[in-house]
Amino acid sequence: MPETTYTVELIPPDIEPYRAGNTGIDYVTTFAAAAPGPHVVVAALTHGNEICGAIVLDSLFRAGIRPRQGKLTLAFNNVAAFQDFDPRMPIASRYVDEDFNRLWSLETLDGPRKSAELTRARKIRRIVDEADYLLDLHSMQHATAPLMLAGLLAKSRDLALRVGIPELIMCDAGHAAGPRMRDYGGFGDANSPKTALLIECGQHWERRAAGVANDVTLRFLIALGVVTRDDVAALAGPDFDAHPNQRVIQVTEAVTISGDRFDFIAPYRGLEIIPKKGTVIAHEDEREIRTPYDECILIMPSRRLLRGQTAVRLGRFVA
Ligand SMILES: [Zn+2]
């Protein structure tokens, strides 16, 4: 696939002021209110080149936002990858050794394997264990509408509806390559009240992604009673007061690459709706990959078409 040139509109913030933090974990800061309440975590840089989330955390710090109740933790996750960010080669700094967001099983976290990301995940795990609510801020390779990833459980979908933006909520099981932070422990357990959301804000380096990240974060904090509307009104962006008719996409399957060569038949960007069941969308070695039903939605087709990785997810509107 030819190398794509990206326009990098966003400027990575200086996060050095947040290195020390106050939790004993670098770049992780917890603010506690006198009043009891949930522990709410907002995480950025789970992928080191997805800088919109870091911009939002920087903005919350600068504005002096504090929780009205409970605890608010602001966490910069894969800082080592972020520190390698180079706007001339922005795709290079997603991670150092491996994807931080495929490590979140007890087997992997407690296992013997070592990597830069595992070292970091093992440190941050204490905060994730303590969290009642998590919002993980991400962005995408292609410029499509933002997507709230709510996992498979009703509790997360309900919270996504309470947050109210963006328009599209995607319910999915994640990746064969390993569980995400948002699926870890109680977040993925229907019997636990712990609830997590992951927002894909837009294309990694488009200005709009930072606006979406900002407004989703503010609405998430308001929905959970961490702050009031008045507390954060000065930070509001264009989607702060938006009330889209939210729609839910149920992901039915992830196409995971098992062959040597995988090619989409067209330069899909994501959210294309393929009208007819059985339409060929890709070739993997000699095999054709076909849509399993009518009105099939292609979700986040990847440019990293490597064995074991998710090439694309397939879904349909259920609400
Ligand atoms: Zn990401």
Side-chain angles (χ1 to χ4, degrees):
M1 186 174 287
E3 197 54 44
T4 308
T5 33
Y6 294 103
T7 307
V8 179
E9 297 176 343
L10 298 178
I11 298 167
D14 176 14
I15 65 168
E16 184 59 26
Y18 316 122
R19 176 198 284 267
N22 63 358
T23 58
I25 308 166
D26 281 0
Y27 299 100
V28 179
T29 300
T30 298
F31 299 112
H39 186 173
V40 176
V41 175
V42 182
L45 300 178
T46 290
H47 294 129
N49 60 353
E50 299 179 1
I51 55 182
C52 63
I55 290 169
V56 173
L57 296 196
D58 181 46
S59 162
L60 295 176
F61 275 114
R62 287 168 180 272
I65 297 300
R66 297 291 181 271
R68 295 257 173 190
Q69 56 173 20
K71 290 181 182 174
L72 171 63
T73 292
L74 305 178
F76 299 94
N77 282 348
N78 198 342
V79 173
F82 170 71
Q83 284 168 338
D84 287 339
F85 182 80
D86 179 346
R88 290 166 303 179
M89 228 183 11
I91 54 171
S93 50
R94 180 176 170 86
Y95 52 73
V96 176
D97 295 325
E98 63 178 325
D99 192 328
F100 181 92
N101 216 24
R102 304 287 181 271
L103 306 176
W104 292 87
S105 66
L106 296 182
E107 189 188 8
T108 302
L109 291 169
D110 291 334
R113 224 155 51 67
K114 291 193 170 80
S115 71
E117 277 73 20
L118 264 167
T119 300
R120 183 67 177 155
R122 285 167 180 148
K123 284 186 185 150
I124 286 181
R125 178 184 187 178
R126 169 161 65 80
I127 295 294
V128 184
D129 280 330
E130 283 177 25
D132 297 299
Y133 296 96
L134 167 71
L135 176 64
D136 194 14
L137 298 165
H138 287 250
S139 52
M140 300 180 276
Q141 295 171 49
H142 297 283
T144 61
L147 279 173
M148 186 71 95
L149 274 55
L152 294 174
L153 300 176
K155 60 183 180 179
S156 303
R157 177 173 157 174
D158 292 347
L159 180 56
L161 291 167
R162 279 167 60 202
V163 172
I165 52 171
E167 178 189 357
L168 296 176
I169 299 167
M170 184 174 107
C171 298
D172 80 309
H175 305 274
R180 303 165 296 190
M181 188 170 63
R182 64 134 286 112
D183 305 313
Y184 167 71
F187 296 137
D189 177 357
N191 296 313
S192 164
K194 286 169 65 104
T195 307
L197 292 173
L198 186 163
I199 176 73
E200 299 282 3
C201 296
Q203 205 281 333
H204 294 320
W205 311 294
E206 65 174 335
R207 194 169 290 112
R208 176 170 153 68
V212 170
N214 179 73
D215 288 342
V216 168
T217 301
L218 300 183
R219 302 258 304 243
F220 177 81
L221 296 177
I222 294 166
L224 295 172
V226 178
V227 295
T228 65
R229 283 183 59 84
D230 288 348
D231 291 340
V232 295
L235 301 178
D239 296 317
F240 187 65
D241 289 314
H243 291 284
N245 288 321
Q246 287 178 290
R247 303 193 71 189
V248 177
I249 300 170
Q250 185 72 48
V251 173
T252 58
E253 57 199 274
V255 176
T256 304
I257 299 170
S258 58
D260 293 322
R261 188 181 167 84
F262 188 104
D263 294 297
F264 288 109
I265 61 141
Y268 298 122
R269 303 165 65 87
L271 299 177
E272 290 88 355
I273 300 177
I274 310 295
K276 284 284 165 228
K277 173 182 174 173
T279 303
V280 175
I281 55 168
H283 292 101
E284 181 172 53
D285 297 337
E286 303 312 311
R287 190 165 69 98
E288 290 175 329
I289 309 289
R290 293 173 180 268
T291 52
Y293 37 77
D294 289 350
E295 307 296 324
C296 179
I297 307 169
L298 309 186
I299 299 147
M300 294 176 70
S302 181
R303 291 185 189 281
R304 291 179 299 275
L305 298 173
L306 303 171
R307 190 193 297 267
Q309 300 298 309
T310 305
V312 63
R313 283 166 274 187
L314 307 177
R316 53 185 156 198
F317 283 115
V318 292

